[in-house]
Amino acid sequence: MELGGVAAEVRERTSAAFTDRDAERILAAILSSEDIWRVIDLADVPVMALCAALEVMGRAGWVEFTESRIRLTDAGRKLVQGLGIAPARELRCGRCGGRGLELGPVAKIAERFKRIVEARPEAIQEFDQGYVTEESTLYRVAFMWARGDLVGKELLVLGDDDLVSIAAALTGAPRRVVVLDIDERILEFVREVAQGEGLCLEVRHHDLRNPLPAGLLSCFDVFFCDPTESLRGFLAFAGRGISALRAPGCAGYLGLTRREASLLKWQAIQRELLSCGAAITDIRDDFHEYVNWPYIETMRAWDHLPARRVPGRVEPWYRSALIRIELVEPPKAVSERLEGDIFTDPEAATT
Amino acid sequence: MELGGVAAEVRERTSAAFTDRDAERILAAILSSEDIWRVIDLADVPVMALCAALEVMGRAGWVEFTESRIRLTDAGRKLVQGLGIAPARELRCGRCGGRGLELGPVAKIAERFKRIVEARPEAIQEFDQGYVTEESTLYRVAFMWARGDLVGKELLVLGDDDLVSIAAALTGAPRRVVVLDIDERILEFVREVAQGEGLCLEVRHHDLRNPLPAGLLSCFDVFFCDPTESLRGFLAFAGRGISALRAPGCAGYLGLTRREASLLKWQAIQRELLSCGAAITDIRDDFHEYVNWPYIETMRAWDHLPARRVPGRVEPWYRSALIRIELVEPPKAVSERLEGDIFTDPEAATT
């Protein structure tokens, strides 16, 4: 069997998106590490497709599994040599963690932010939660600062388990910060912090399956949202954010991962963002690293993993890109209520 | 007059793309520096539109010009305070220059590359040339390495005043490197270096206004191109690159600047890239910095600058983003011959 055969079988069993290149990326990852989480991290292939591919490669005799490890067999090693596949290298800058920027003025509030969020609510599966490291949130706010999207701006945060609103407000830079979430625990936490720290934060309960209330439409300079990864859910959440923006020149920030989204899904998302009147100004992959959530053993992908162990709390394998868009036309976003399960699609791994 | 008035007047005189936000970005840049080149660099507004805006702002009494400097007047200062505009901050990581990565294995060939290119042909206006710093080229090759697009791959370089082909070949990583250029000086230089250094480089004369020869279609894993900035020219060059790719999973790299392209043009370009069957996987703005070319005083924008001095050779103000695309569908690129001037459009500044 060749790469193409593996890819075709994976496509049959999962989705139409898996390419020969994805198979190659998985083998390149295994050449760099035998650890299952590291392989997932390095491969940049949706986890569900990766699990299917590993199973097919196992049957083909290319790899073998021992508890949490994946090893190339002699046949596998011969194959990757023949194909000229090299070990995956990240070459991430050791100073900025690959993000490309300094915290700058945001460094001043870093310690205070970290202290405050120690008491944060834990991520729960019901709302597809999973938060990024404190460092990721701080760099995110620094990125907004560097792009001119923070100082003096009105910011809407749609879903805030990452507590971006708190970090942004601590800098004292934005003119206004409004937080929407479906989870009362998060709203309560943000409210308490705002009161205790004397921050001006407006906190509102909102289910993002519903369009924004009229009072939040067309009145923000910037939105931030780390949407759920199903195509339908992602587009709906992004559309809510876009509908909150005032005019051309206003900006939106979105998190998008390769772990639960194929590049075919990325393309569909990008097409939609452009249709809504935006240009994409930045895509910084692996900008965000996630703290492992407590429901890892009940996530959808768990039973599909060919090699398994519970990863440490801060042992990042789930990363996502930071995407910035800027409106170049008046915002065009559909405002319909979404019905039913918005978290699941064939590529979903964590819900 | 308010920001909106300035923006409307600039739109009337230049193109439809200038926003209130662009006016704000120019003022934020002037708050950070009074130097014309630094203002152009920080503002991220197309140079021709920026010149028009500065002229309008000068007539409105917000700014004044003295030789190469731009200063806010008292009225201007009052205005930016009232609007809450903050000084532009880049927050670029000091180690990686904002690129987010290490040179890694590419560091080994850095000195050799720099020594080789000392004798390079100078940039000429006839072909809209202008090359990036050696460091930018080296980081570009490192980025390709990190994305799995270098080792064992077949690479096509479309237009090579940046000498990417030489840096790539020096690493010994690619399986094949083919260089196309219209400029005999560059072809000759690459040929001589290849011979002198024992590098395997295929060098061919080609005018990118013409479709690729049949022998180069659908047979590469990766292309690199830093196209001319007119919309028509950019799309044609990108299309040539895409037509050279084999299949889904193959990747392309493009340089795109804010200096000669509004975000409205970015949007049009992105729409086209998606239509050709690609997803955009990375947009790293300011990845490339350019060495100032010798024809700066005859470039189109020169006479429009309200404050003027010839910048030093390595005093970067012209930067561009590195964009990576990956095919998720079979490549769909139009193959027509382009007629006439492909370098000029209303946003062109350097031709």
Side-chain angles (χ1 to χ4, degrees):
Chain A
M1 194 181 273
E2 279 289 327
L3 284 191
V6 169
E9 200 173 328
V10 175
R11 273 198 300 277
E12 247 172 59
R13 290 170 47 184
T14 57
S15 74
F18 194 88
T19 60
D20 294 18
R21 182 72 192 270
D22 288 322
E24 183 190 321
R25 275 192 274 255
I26 293 170
L27 292 168
I30 298 172
L31 278 175
S32 280
S33 171
E34 297 186 337
D35 179 76
I36 178 70
W37 297 110
R38 192 70 187 127
V39 168
I40 291 175
D41 188 7
L42 285 169
D44 268 340
V45 170
V47 181
M48 294 301 287
L50 180 138
C51 291
L54 285 176
E55 211 253 292
V56 177
M57 289 177 184
R59 273 194 287 108
W62 300 355
V63 294
E64 53 193 16
F65 310 105
T66 54
E67 296 187 2
S68 73
R69 304 191 86 71
I70 306 166
R71 283 205 189 92
L72 284 174
T73 60
D74 289 343
R77 207 159 279 280
K78 198 173 283 180
L79 179 98
V80 300
Q81 270 164 11
L83 293 169
I85 297 174
R89 297 285 302 265
E90 290 176 308
L91 305 184
R92 193 174 284 148
C93 172
R95 178 158 163 190
C96 62
R99 299 178 179 95
L101 79 165
E102 311 272 355
L103 285 179
V106 177
K108 284 190 207 115
I109 60 112
E111 286 316 308
R112 196 167 154 212
F113 177 69
K114 287 177 188 168
R115 187 176 40 73
I116 288 170
V117 303
E118 274 170 14
R120 71 196 304 166
E122 193 42 87
I124 53 175
Q125 195 163 12
E126 181 186 355
F127 301 126
D128 191 28
Q129 289 170 349
Y131 50 78
V132 301
T133 59
E134 287 84 16
E135 196 178 68
S136 298
T137 296
L138 290 164
Y139 271 104
R140 203 186 255 177
V141 172
F143 195 86
M144 294 167 77
W145 192 309
R147 287 291 179 269
D149 292 325
L150 198 74
V151 183
K153 300 296 180 181
E154 306 202 16
L155 166 66
L156 178 66
V157 181
L158 301 105
D160 199 20
D161 50 340
D162 295 332
L163 305 175
V164 172
S165 64
I166 293 176
L170 280 172
T171 66
R175 191 191 297 267
R176 184 187 182 200
V177 181
V178 179
V179 189
L180 305 183
D181 210 292
I182 193 173
D183 184 353
E184 286 293 355
R185 301 173 314 140
I186 287 177
L187 298 173
E188 195 45 39
F189 182 74
V190 175
R191 254 187 230 110
E192 272 173 25
V193 169
Q195 201 165 29
E197 305 282 333
L199 303 175
C200 190
L201 280 165
E202 297 169 48
V203 180
R204 301 199 192 183
H205 182 267
H206 185 76
D207 178 346
L208 284 171
R209 281 175 298 189
N210 297 319
L212 297 185
L216 297 180
L217 292 173
S218 312
C219 61
F220 288 89
D221 301 303
V222 184
F223 77 83
F224 186 89
C225 185
D226 195 358
T228 184
E229 289 77 15
S230 75
L231 182 59
R232 202 166 79 102
F234 192 101
L235 294 180
F237 286 22
R240 306 287 183 243
I242 289 168
S243 72
L245 297 181
R246 215 187 294 273
C250 293
Y253 289 84
L254 297 156
L256 179 57
T257 185
R258 305 271 294 261
R259 305 290 169 271
E260 301 188 81
S262 63
L263 290 180
L264 197 65
K265 196 196 278 183
W266 278 48
Q267 185 199 38
I269 287 169
Q270 291 170 348
R271 197 171 274 149
E272 184 73 13
L273 293 173
L274 300 179
S275 301
C276 288
I280 307 170
T281 65
D282 301 271
I283 304 179
R284 301 235 172 177
D285 204 8
D286 291 349
F287 194 96
H288 303 125
E289 52 183 44
Y290 290 72
V291 176
N292 283 313
W293 43 89
Y295 59 86
I296 203 125
E297 287 165 280
T298 57
M299 70 177 189
R300 182 165 173 238
W302 180 261
D303 287 336
H304 298 263
L305 292 172
R308 242 177 267 165
R309 69 174 172 85
V310 178
R313 200 171 150 70
V314 185
E315 185 187 350
W317 61 273
Y318 196 106
R319 297 180 204 267
S320 72
L322 178 62
I323 298 183
R324 179 182 183 273
I325 59 174
E326 184 170 319
L327 288 179
V328 292
E329 301 170 272
K332 287 167 279 187
V334 185
S335 274
E336 279 171 1
R337 182 177 152 71
L338 279 192
E339 303 291 345
D341 170 15
I342 58 162
F343 296 139
T344 316
D345 76 1
E347 296 175 352
T350 60
T351 47
Chain B
M1 194 183 273
E2 279 288 327
L3 284 191
V6 168
E9 201 173 327
V10 175
R11 273 198 298 277
E12 249 172 56
R13 289 171 47 186
T14 57
S15 75
F18 194 87
T19 61
D20 294 19
R21 181 74 191 270
D22 288 322
E24 183 189 320
R25 275 192 274 255
I26 294 170
L27 292 167
I30 298 172
L31 278 174
S32 280
S33 172
E34 297 186 336
D35 179 77
I36 178 69
W37 297 110
R38 191 72 185 125
V39 168
I40 291 175
D41 189 7
L42 286 169
D44 268 340
V45 169
V47 180
M48 293 302 286
L50 180 138
C51 290
L54 285 176
E55 211 254 291
V56 177
M57 289 177 183
R59 273 193 286 106
W62 299 355
V63 294
E64 53 192 17
F65 311 104
T66 55
E67 298 186 359
S68 74
R69 305 191 86 71
I70 306 166
R71 283 206 188 90
L72 285 173
T73 60
D74 289 345
R77 209 159 278 281
K78 199 172 280 176
L79 179 98
V80 300
Q81 269 163 14
L83 293 170
I85 297 174
R89 298 284 303 265
E90 290 176 308
L91 306 184
R92 192 173 287 148
C93 172
R95 179 158 162 189
C96 62
R99 300 180 180 94
L101 78 165
E102 311 274 354
L103 285 178
V106 177
K108 283 189 210 117
I109 60 111
E111 287 316 309
R112 195 166 155 213
F113 177 69
K114 287 176 189 168
R115 187 177 42 73
I116 289 170
V117 303
E118 274 170 15
R120 71 197 303 165
E122 193 42 89
I124 53 175
Q125 196 163 12
E126 180 186 356
F127 300 126
D128 192 27
Q129 289 170 348
Y131 50 79
V132 302
T133 59
E134 287 83 19
E135 196 178 66
S136 300
T137 296
L138 291 164
Y139 271 104
R140 204 185 254 176
V141 172
F143 195 87
M144 294 167 78
W145 192 308
R147 287 292 178 270
D149 293 325
L150 198 72
V151 183
K153 301 296 181 182
E154 306 201 16
L155 166 66
L156 177 66
V157 181
L158 301 105
D160 199 20
D161 50 340
D162 295 332
L163 305 174
V164 172
S165 63
I166 293 176
L170 281 172
T171 65
R175 191 191 297 266
R176 182 187 183 200
V177 182
V178 179
V179 188
L180 305 183
D181 211 293
I182 192 173
D183 184 352
E184 287 292 354
R185 301 174 313 142
I186 288 177
L187 298 174
E188 196 43 41
F189 183 75
V190 175
R191 253 185 232 114
E192 273 173 27
V193 169
Q195 200 165 28
E197 305 282 333
L199 302 175
C200 190
L201 279 165
E202 297 169 48
V203 180
R204 300 199 193 184
H205 182 267
H206 185 76
D207 178 346
L208 284 172
R209 282 176 297 190
N210 296 320
L212 297 185
L216 298 180
L217 292 173
S218 311
C219 60
F220 288 89
D221 301 302
V222 183
F223 77 84
F224 185 90
C225 184
D226 195 357
T228 184
E229 289 77 15
S230 74
L231 181 59
R232 202 166 79 100
F234 192 101
L235 294 180
F237 286 21
R240 306 286 182 243
I242 289 168
S243 72
L245 297 181
R246 216 187 294 272
C250 294
Y253 289 83
L254 296 156
L256 179 56
T257 185
R258 305 273 294 260
R259 305 289 169 273
E260 301 188 79
S262 62
L263 291 180
L264 197 64
K265 196 195 278 182
W266 278 47
Q267 185 200 37
I269 287 169
Q270 291 169 349
R271 196 171 275 148
E272 184 72 13
L273 294 173
L274 301 179
S275 301
C276 288
I280 307 170
T281 65
D282 300 271
I283 303 179
R284 301 236 169 175
D285 205 8
D286 291 348
F287 194 96
H288 303 126
E289 52 184 43
Y290 290 72
V291 176
N292 283 313
W293 43 88
Y295 58 87
I296 203 128
E297 287 165 280
T298 56
M299 71 177 188
R300 183 166 173 236
W302 181 260
D303 288 335
H304 297 264
L305 293 172
R308 240 177 268 164
R309 70 174 172 83
V310 178
R313 199 170 150 71
V314 186
E315 186 187 348
W317 61 273
Y318 196 105
R319 294 180 205 268
S320 71
L322 179 62
I323 297 184
R324 179 182 183 275
I325 60 174
E326 185 172 320
L327 287 179
V328 293
E329 302 170 273
K332 287 168 280 189
V334 185
S335 273
E336 277 171 2
R337 181 176 152 73
L338 279 191
E339 301 292 343
D341 171 15
I342 59 162
F343 296 139
T344 317
D345 77 0
E347 296 175 352
T350 60
T351 48

Coordinates of all heavy atoms in Angstrom, one line a residue, chain A residues 305-333:
Chain A
L305 N -8.5 6.7 19.7 CA -7.0 6.8 19.7 C -6.4 5.4 19.8 O -6.8 4.5 20.6 CB -6.6 7.5 21.0 CG -6.9 9.0 21.0 CD1 -6.6 9.6 22.4 CD2 -6.2 9.8 20.0
P306 N -5.4 5.1 18.9 CA -4.8 3.7 18.9 C -3.8 3.6 20.0 O -3.4 2.4 20.3 CB -4.1 3.7 17.5 CG -3.8 5.1 17.2 CD -4.9 5.9 17.8
A307 N -3.4 4.7 20.6 CA -2.5 4.6 21.7 C -2.9 5.7 22.7 O -3.3 6.8 22.2 CB -1.1 5.0 21.2
R308 N -3.0 5.4 24.0 CA -3.7 6.3 24.9 C -3.0 6.5 26.2 O -2.5 5.6 26.8 CB -5.0 5.6 25.2 CG -6.2 6.4 24.7 CD -7.5 5.6 25.0 NE -7.8 4.8 23.9 CZ -8.7 3.8 23.9 NH1 -9.2 3.4 25.1 NH2 -9.0 3.1 22.8
R309 N -3.0 7.7 26.7 CA -2.7 8.1 28.1 C -3.3 9.4 28.3 O -3.5 10.2 27.4 CB -1.2 8.1 28.3 CG -0.5 9.2 27.7 CD 1.0 9.3 28.1 NE 1.6 10.3 27.3 CZ 1.6 11.6 27.6 NH1 1.1 12.0 28.7 NH2 2.2 12.4 26.7
V310 N -3.7 9.7 29.6 CA -4.2 11.0 29.9 C -3.1 12.0 29.9 O -2.1 11.8 30.7 CB -5.0 11.0 31.2 CG1 -5.5 12.4 31.6 CG2 -6.1 10.0 31.2
P311 N -3.1 13.0 29.1 CA -2.0 14.0 29.1 C -2.0 14.9 30.4 O -3.1 15.0 31.0 CB -2.3 14.8 27.9 CG -3.7 14.8 27.7 CD -4.2 13.4 28.2
G312 N -0.9 15.4 30.7 CA -0.8 16.4 31.8 C -1.6 17.6 31.5 O -2.0 17.8 30.4
R313 N -1.9 18.4 32.6 CA -2.7 19.5 32.5 C -2.2 20.6 31.5 O -2.9 21.0 30.6 CB -2.9 20.2 33.8 CG -4.1 21.0 33.9 CD -4.4 21.5 35.3 NE -5.0 22.8 35.3 CZ -6.3 23.0 34.9 NH1 -7.0 22.0 34.5 NH2 -6.8 24.2 34.9
V314 N -0.9 20.9 31.6 CA -0.3 21.8 30.7 C 0.8 21.0 29.9 O 2.0 21.0 30.2 CB 0.3 23.0 31.4 CG1 0.8 24.0 30.3 CG2 -0.7 23.7 32.3
E315 N 0.3 20.3 28.9 CA 1.1 19.5 28.0 C 0.4 19.7 26.6 O -0.3 18.8 26.2 CB 1.1 18.0 28.4 CG 2.0 17.2 27.6 CD 1.8 15.7 28.0 OE1 1.1 15.3 28.9 OE2 2.4 14.9 27.2
P316 N 0.7 20.8 26.0 CA -0.2 21.2 24.9 C -0.1 20.3 23.7 O 1.0 20.0 23.3 CB 0.4 22.6 24.6 CG 1.7 22.8 25.3 CD 1.7 21.8 26.4
W317 N -1.2 19.9 23.2 CA -1.3 19.2 21.9 C -2.4 19.8 21.1 O -2.4 19.7 19.9 CB -1.6 17.7 22.1 CG -2.9 17.5 22.8 CD1 -3.1 17.5 24.2 CD2 -4.2 17.3 22.3 NE1 -4.4 17.3 24.5 CE2 -5.1 17.1 23.3 CE3 -4.6 17.2 20.9 CZ2 -6.5 16.9 23.1 CZ3 -6.0 17.0 20.7 CH2 -6.9 16.8 21.8
Y318 N -3.3 20.5 21.8 CA -4.4 21.2 21.1 C -4.0 22.7 20.9 O -3.9 23.4 21.9 CB -5.7 21.1 21.9 CG -7.0 21.4 21.1 CD1 -7.8 20.3 20.7 CD2 -7.3 22.7 20.8 CE1 -9.0 20.6 20.0 CE2 -8.5 22.9 20.1 CZ -9.3 21.9 19.7 OH -10.5 22.2 19.0
R319 N -3.8 23.1 19.7 CA -3.4 24.5 19.5 C -4.4 25.0 18.4 O -5.0 24.3 17.7 CB -2.0 24.5 18.9 CG -0.9 24.1 19.8 CD 0.5 24.2 19.2 NE 1.4 23.2 19.8 CZ 2.2 23.6 20.8 NH1 2.2 24.8 21.3 NH2 2.9 22.6 21.4
S320 N -4.4 26.3 18.3 CA -5.2 26.9 17.3 C -4.6 28.2 16.8 O -3.7 28.8 17.4 CB -6.7 27.2 17.8 OG -6.7 28.2 18.7
A321 N -5.0 28.6 15.6 CA -4.5 29.8 14.9 C -5.3 31.0 15.5 O -6.5 30.9 15.8 CB -4.7 29.7 13.4
L322 N -4.7 32.1 15.5 CA -5.4 33.4 15.7 C -5.6 34.0 14.3 O -4.6 34.2 13.5 CB -4.5 34.3 16.5 CG -5.1 35.7 16.8 CD1 -6.5 35.6 17.5 CD2 -4.2 36.6 17.6
I323 N -6.8 34.2 14.0 CA -7.2 34.8 12.7 C -7.7 36.2 12.9 O -8.6 36.4 13.8 CB -8.2 34.0 11.9 CG1 -7.7 32.6 11.6 CG2 -8.7 34.7 10.7 CD1 -8.6 31.7 10.8
R324 N -7.2 37.2 12.2 CA -7.8 38.6 12.3 C -8.4 38.9 11.0 O -7.8 38.7 9.9 CB -6.7 39.6 12.6 CG -7.2 41.0 12.7 CD -6.1 42.1 13.0 NE -6.7 43.4 13.1 CZ -6.9 44.3 12.1 NH1 -6.6 43.9 10.9 NH2 -7.4 45.5 12.3
I325 N -9.6 39.4 11.0 CA -10.3 39.9 9.8 C -10.6 41.4 10.0 O -10.6 41.9 11.1 CB -11.6 39.2 9.5 CG1 -12.6 39.4 10.7 CG2 -11.4 37.7 9.2 CD1 -14.0 38.8 10.4
E326 N -10.7 42.1 8.9 CA -11.0 43.5 8.9 C -12.1 43.8 7.9 O -11.9 43.3 6.7 CB -9.8 44.4 8.7 CG -10.1 45.9 8.9 CD -8.9 46.8 8.9 OE1 -7.9 46.5 9.6 OE2 -9.0 47.9 8.3
L327 N -13.1 44.5 8.2 CA -14.2 44.7 7.2 C -13.7 45.7 6.2 O -13.1 46.8 6.5 CB -15.4 45.3 7.9 CG -16.3 44.4 8.8 CD1 -17.4 45.1 9.4 CD2 -16.8 43.2 8.0
V328 N -13.9 45.4 4.9 CA -13.6 46.3 3.8 C -14.9 46.8 3.2 O -14.9 47.6 2.3 CB -12.7 45.7 2.8 CG1 -11.3 45.5 3.4 CG2 -13.2 44.4 2.3
E329 N -16.0 46.1 3.6 CA -17.3 46.5 3.1 C -18.3 46.6 4.3 O -17.9 46.0 5.4 CB -17.9 45.4 2.1 CG -17.0 45.1 0.9 CD -17.5 43.9 0.2 OE1 -17.0 42.8 0.5 OE2 -18.3 44.0 -0.7
P330 N -19.4 47.1 4.2 CA -20.4 47.1 5.3 C -20.7 45.6 5.7 O -20.7 44.8 4.8 CB -21.6 47.8 4.7 CG -21.1 48.6 3.6 CD -20.0 47.9 3.0
P331 N -20.8 45.3 6.9 CA -20.9 43.9 7.4 C -22.2 43.3 6.8 O -23.3 43.9 6.8 CB -21.0 44.0 8.9 CG -21.3 45.4 9.2 CD -20.8 46.2 8.1
K332 N -22.0 42.1 6.2 CA -23.2 41.3 5.7 C -23.2 40.0 6.4 O -22.4 39.1 6.1 CB -23.0 41.1 4.2 CG -23.2 42.3 3.4 CD -22.7 42.1 1.9 CE -21.2 42.2 1.8 NZ -20.6 42.1 0.5
A333 N -24.0 39.8 7.4 CA -24.0 38.6 8.2 C -25.5 38.1 8.3 O -26.4 39.0 8.6 CB -23.4 38.7 9.5

